[in-house]
Amino acid sequence: MEPITAGLLVALASGTAGAAGEQIWASLRELVTRRGSRAGDGEPAVPAEPPRTEERAGQLAALLNERAGQDPDFAAR
């Protein structure tokens, strides 16, 4: 699996990825929600909308990449 980058997440948020980006975001949310991933504060790890700042995108990318490193099935999906 290629690492998820903050730039990719910001591109999804800014709309530069278009309809494909919306589909990717929906699929990512579904995968994480189905697998039961939660952020430290009890909130879902993937918010309803893509992160619009590099800082938040970086945090989310790190969380997703960490999860993928710990769960081969998650990484494959």
Side-chain angles (χ1 to χ4, degrees), residues 3-48:
I4 296 169
T5 65
L8 171 63
L9 297 175
V10 171
L12 294 174
S14 68
T16 57
E22 291 176 16
Q23 181 64 35
I24 292 167
W25 189 256
S27 296
L28 179 63
R29 279 192 47 78
E30 181 181 330
L31 171 66
V32 171
T33 300
R34 180 178 50 210
R35 303 287 297 174
S37 180
R38 297 276 174 187
D41 58 7
E43 290 297 313
V46 178

